[in-house]
């Protein structure tokens, strides 16, 4: 490779002096420098390789009929590959598309497959995973059963790399089981491959194993994931670290975090903590060595360690990790893009939860407020995408403020959350009505704390009515438990209203509570009703009895409550 680079000035002179032979020699030298065949040779910097590929494309285009069109097609494919490495995805797609449209070109099967894989990977990295699936699968089919590529085409890829691309696309689409199956096939092919051929896939093998371990963990197949750990660790050291140190460092961090999560899931908490701490240490080293991508690895490792610490209830240590993670995402959001602001919001929500677990309600409020501020900025840029998140986070903030004793602020925050979710429900009733019901429950809880029992009852009653409509219009039963919870909260609010104010307010609350018992057979609701009537009678004595009889024209109810063993539910109380 070094010899070829040193030969470039000579071949450029030859191309000017003897255009025919010199240009062909320069083109071949440039393409070999762009994508060397020696797999254990560390490539030149990507920017330099992009420049060489662009020079080769221009050389073949300007040569006209002096050089075969196959050379231009090959130069465009290699240009697309290095543009992909440079993260210039749209240009990479354009280059490989142009390679298939060169008049008179007869690309080899391996070159055609390489163009398809580059296109699929560029589409995936550009966030167009659905568009990437078809070319990725076509690439795999072209490699299956095909003979081993010629020596000059081996740098373009192969079946294992094509399978890896398909698996990555499926994983991005959320089709984890299919992704794992493809990774497993790829791993088996690599295991059966002769050492001589395996050298061309030195970086593919560890990546496939790490992705497979992560996917198995996501499917809950943790023992299988852990069983592959030793093989993945064995694949990482050695020559592959020399060829691409940044990728290998990333894979080490990724492997440690995946193993830590699987160990945690299988109850090996001590091992999980050690592995997560090892991942953090590796990621911190990565920040120093690879300052562009290293912070992203550190964020993943810190998130894994925080998860382990939460599981073992080491909240004080988790608090420190969560704070570091928030600071890290704040720096990334300031330096890079909107994507990291969403991660920052999630990190702040997790930090708030740790403060809450420690009883530090003021810290919980501060963290959630900060997340709301970030979300407001995101809403200004893209209301459709972020308004639902803001509505949910406002409700969380109201709950935190209630826990901190800031009840007046909590009610104002909850009212804003309700107003926002109502507006969202106007655009998509089925999706956002359950969210509105949740915000109304939060508002009801805040109003109860301020002593506005009528307002609390009204909020919970509206939430129950909304959820009744949702349950009646859906077939999946997803919101039944939510409706049961809302009815219990409504029953408690009505019970409180029946005893907190005067007799005139007690009777309407009791009547609503009795009507509620006819809409549900939940034991807790009926028990609340029985207690409410008894407490109202004790609180207001004969006044409530007389007022009840005056309003309803019926005797004040007494109850016989029969408990059953039917899944904890009881029969409706019989009024007499």
């Amino acid at each position: 490779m070094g010899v070829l680079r040193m030969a470039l000035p000579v071949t450029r002179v030859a191309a000017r002096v003897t255009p025919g032979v010199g240009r062909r020699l320069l083109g071949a030298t440039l393409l070999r420098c762009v994508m060397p065949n020696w797999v254990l040779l560390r490539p030149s910097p990507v920017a330099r390789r992009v420049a060489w590929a662009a020079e080769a494309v221009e050389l073949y285009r300007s040569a006209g009929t002096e050089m075969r069109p196959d050379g231009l097609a090959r130069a465009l494919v290699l240009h697309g590959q290095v543009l992909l490495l440079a993260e210039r995805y749209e240009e990479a797609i354009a280059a490989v598309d142009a390679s298939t449209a060169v008049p008179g070109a007869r690309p080899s099967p391996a070159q055609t497959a390489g163009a398809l894989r580059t296109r699929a990977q560029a589409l995936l990295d550009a966030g167009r995973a659905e568009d990437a699936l078809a070319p990725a699968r076509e690439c795999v089919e072209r490699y299956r059963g095909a003979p081993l590529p010629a020596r000059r085409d081996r740098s373009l890829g192969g079946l294992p790399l094509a399978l890896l691309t398909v698996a990555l696309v499926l994983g991005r689409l959320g089709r984890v089981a299919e992704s794992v199956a493809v990774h497993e096939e790829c791993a088996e092919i690599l295991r059966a491959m002769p050492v001589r051929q395996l050298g061309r896939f030195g970086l593919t093998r560890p990546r496939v194993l790490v992705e497979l371990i992560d996917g198995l963990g996501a499917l809950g197949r943790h023992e299988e994931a852990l069983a592959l750990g030793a093989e993945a660790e064995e694949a990482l050291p050695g020559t592959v670290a020399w060829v691409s140190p940044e990728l290998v460092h990333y894979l080490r961090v990724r492997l440690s975090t995946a193993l830590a999560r699987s160990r945690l899931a299988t109850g090996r908490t001590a091992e999980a903590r050690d592995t997560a701490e090892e991942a953090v240490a590796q990621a911190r080293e990565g920040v120093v060595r690879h300052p562009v991508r290293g912070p992203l690895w550190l964020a993943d490792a810190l998130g894994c360690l925080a998860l382990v610490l939460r599981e073992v209830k080491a909240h004080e240590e988790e608090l420190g990790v969560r704070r570091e993670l928030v600071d890290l995402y704040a720096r990334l959001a300031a330096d890079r893009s909107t994507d990291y602001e969403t991660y920052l919001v999630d990190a702040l929500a997790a930090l708030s939860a740790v403060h809450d677990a420690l009883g530090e309600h003021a810290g919980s409020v501060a963290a959630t407020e900060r997340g709301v501020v970030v979300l407001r900025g995101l809403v200004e840029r893209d209301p459709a995408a972020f308004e639902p998140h803001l509505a949910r986070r406002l409700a969380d903030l109201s709950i935190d403020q209630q826990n901190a004793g800031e009840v007046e602020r909590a009610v104002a925050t909850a009212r804003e959350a309700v107003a926002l979710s109502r507006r969202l429900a106007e655009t998509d009733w089925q999706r956002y009505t359950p969210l509105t019901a949740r915000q109304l429950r939060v508002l009801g809880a805040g109003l109860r704390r301020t002593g506005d029992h009528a307002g609390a009852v009204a909020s919970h009653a509206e939430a129950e009515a909304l959820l009744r409509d949702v349950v009646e219009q859906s077939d999946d039963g997803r919101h039944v438990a939510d409706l049961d919870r809302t009815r219990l909260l409504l029953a408690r609010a009505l019970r409180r209203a029946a005893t907190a104010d005067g007799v005139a307010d007690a009777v309407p609350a009791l009547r609503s509570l009795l009507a509620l018992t006819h809409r549900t057979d939940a034991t807790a609701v009926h028990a609340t009703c029985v207690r409410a009537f008894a407490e109202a009678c004790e609180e207001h004595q004969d006044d409530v009895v007389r007022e009840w009889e005056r309003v309803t024209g019926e005797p004040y109810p007494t109850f016989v409550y029969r408990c059953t063993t039917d899944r904890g539910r009881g029969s409706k109380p019989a009024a007499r």
Side-chain angles (χ1 to χ4, degrees):
M1 183 70 172
V3 174
L4 288 172
R5 286 199 300 265
M6 289 187 290
L8 277 175
V10 178
T11 55
R12 288 187 178 109
V13 172
R16 290 195 298 270
V17 175
T18 56
V21 176
R23 284 187 173 184
R24 287 194 290 273
L25 180 61
L26 176 59
T29 304
L30 285 167
L31 295 183
R32 186 64 61 86
C33 290
V34 170
M35 200 67 69
N37 284 332
W38 289 8
V39 297
L40 299 183
L41 187 67
R42 180 183 290 183
S44 298
V46 173
R48 188 178 298 174
R49 295 165 68 189
V50 169
W52 288 334
E55 182 181 352
V57 169
E58 184 59 31
L59 174 71
Y60 281 103
R61 276 185 175 147
S62 63
T65 59
E66 295 179 16
M67 301 174 72
R68 295 176 58 187
D70 292 348
L72 175 57
R74 181 176 178 80
L76 285 165
V77 171
L78 295 179
H79 193 203
Q81 287 196 344
V82 291
L83 286 168
L84 173 63
L85 296 175
E87 301 181 1
R88 293 160 59 177
Y89 305 124
E90 296 301 330
E91 294 176 69
I93 294 168
V96 294
D97 286 350
S99 74
T100 63
V102 176
R106 293 177 296 175
S108 66
Q111 183 175 312
T112 302
L116 286 167
R117 192 198 67 81
T118 300
R119 189 176 203 282
Q121 189 66 54
L123 287 167
L124 175 64
D125 293 340
R128 298 161 59 187
E130 291 194 5
D131 297 332
L133 188 56
R137 281 183 163 160
E138 184 180 350
C139 177
V140 168
E141 292 308 313
R142 286 181 178 272
Y143 274 120
R144 286 193 192 278
L148 188 69
R151 180 180 178 83
R152 67 192 298 266
D153 286 338
R154 291 176 188 174
S155 61
L156 295 172
L159 180 58
L161 201 55
L163 286 168
L164 173 61
T165 303
V166 171
L168 292 174
V169 173
L170 290 169
R172 187 73 61 83
L173 292 173
R175 297 158 64 172
V176 182
E178 295 174 71
S179 176
V180 166
V182 177
H183 275 125
E184 287 178 319
E185 179 188 356
C186 188
E188 287 300 322
I189 291 173
L190 290 168
R191 290 188 188 106
M193 190 172 285
V195 175
R196 182 178 174 184
Q197 295 181 29
L198 189 61
R200 295 191 296 114
F201 301 103
L203 292 171
T204 305
R205 180 173 172 242
R207 185 171 186 188
V208 166
L209 290 169
V210 171
E211 295 284 353
L212 177 55
I213 290 169
D214 200 35
L216 289 168
L219 292 176
R221 296 161 59 182
H222 299 292
E223 293 296 347
E224 295 176 69
L226 293 172
L228 289 171
E231 183 181 357
E233 289 171 353
E234 178 271 332
L236 279 169
T239 52
V240 292
W242 164 257
V243 174
S244 183
E246 182 174 344
L247 176 59
V248 171
H249 205 139
Y250 162 71
L251 291 176
R252 289 186 191 281
V253 177
R254 180 93 177 275
L255 175 61
S256 295
T257 56
L259 292 175
R261 290 189 177 99
S262 286
R263 284 169 179 153
L264 180 64
T266 54
R268 304 166 189 173
T269 53
E271 295 178 41
R273 182 168 181 172
D274 291 342
T275 309
E277 288 175 347
E278 180 184 349
V280 170
Q282 293 168 341
R284 292 193 196 284
E285 184 182 345
V287 172
V288 176
R289 293 188 178 184
H290 314 290
V292 175
R293 301 188 187 275
L296 306 180
W297 312 342
L298 180 58
D300 190 34
L302 288 170
C304 178
L305 178 57
L307 181 67
V308 175
L309 293 172
R310 182 178 65 188
E311 188 68 22
V312 299
K313 301 190 185 308
H315 297 306
E316 291 287 355
E317 295 172 79
E318 183 190 357
L319 183 62
V321 174
R322 294 289 184 190
R323 282 172 170 163
E324 182 179 358
L325 192 56
V326 164
D327 292 342
L328 179 58
Y329 278 129
R331 291 196 300 274
L332 290 170
D335 296 339
R336 304 195 186 187
S337 72
T338 300
D339 293 340
Y340 298 104
E341 290 183 305
T342 61
Y343 292 133
L344 174 59
V345 170
D346 292 339
L348 285 164
L351 177 61
S352 174
V354 180
H355 278 297
D356 195 50
L358 291 169
E360 300 172 355
H361 300 304
S364 183
V365 169
T368 310
E369 282 180 336
R370 187 176 169 190
V372 167
V373 170
V374 176
L375 273 172
R376 290 191 194 281
L378 291 170
V379 167
E380 289 180 2
R381 281 172 265 172
D382 191 350
F386 293 105
E387 278 189 337
H389 299 286
L390 178 59
R392 294 184 181 94
R393 202 65 76 210
L394 284 168
D396 294 340
L397 176 57
S398 178
I399 294 170
D400 291 337
Q401 289 169 333
Q402 290 176 44
N403 292 336
E406 303 175 12
V407 290
E408 297 296 339
R409 293 183 63 204
V411 168
T413 303
R415 289 192 191 281
E416 182 183 358
V418 169
L420 181 53
S421 57
R422 282 192 207 281
R423 192 163 67 247
L424 291 168
E426 291 175 359
T427 62
D428 191 337
W429 186 91
Q430 193 72 32
R431 181 178 181 183
Y432 292 116
T433 295
L435 177 63
T436 306
R438 184 210 175 212
Q439 319 299 49
L440 285 164
R441 291 198 302 268
V442 174
L443 175 59
L447 290 169
R448 181 182 60 80
R449 292 189 182 218
T450 65
D452 184 359
H453 301 294
V457 167
S459 293
H460 288 303
E462 183 182 355
E464 192 241 357
L466 291 174
L467 286 172
R468 277 208 319 270
D469 291 343
V470 171
V471 169
E472 288 173 1
Q473 296 186 33
S474 60
D475 300 326
D476 52 19
R478 284 184 302 132
H479 302 290
V480 171
D482 206 18
L483 176 58
D484 289 344
R485 172 66 177 163
T486 302
R487 282 172 169 164
L488 178 57
L489 294 173
L490 174 58
R492 290 173 177 172
L494 288 166
R495 174 190 166 197
R496 183 64 179 152
T499 57
D501 298 318
V503 172
D505 296 318
V507 170
L510 292 172
R511 293 183 70 188
S512 297
L513 187 49
L514 189 60
L516 180 61
T517 64
H518 297 299
R519 298 199 295 272
T520 177
D521 60 352
T523 300
V525 172
H526 288 265
T528 302
C529 180
V530 171
R531 294 181 64 183
F533 272 87
E535 289 169 353
C537 194
E538 181 181 352
E539 176 73 21
H540 304 295
Q541 299 182 359
D542 292 340
D543 291 343
V544 74
V545 175
R546 286 192 295 270
E547 181 65 12
W548 176 275
E549 292 174 348
R550 185 189 70 80
V551 171
T552 66
E554 298 176 356
Y556 190 78
T558 57
F559 294 90
V560 176
Y561 196 84
R562 298 190 302 276
C563 294
T564 72
T565 58
D566 182 16
R567 293 180 296 177
R569 294 179 179 269
S571 63
K572 296 179 181 178
R576 63 178 184 180

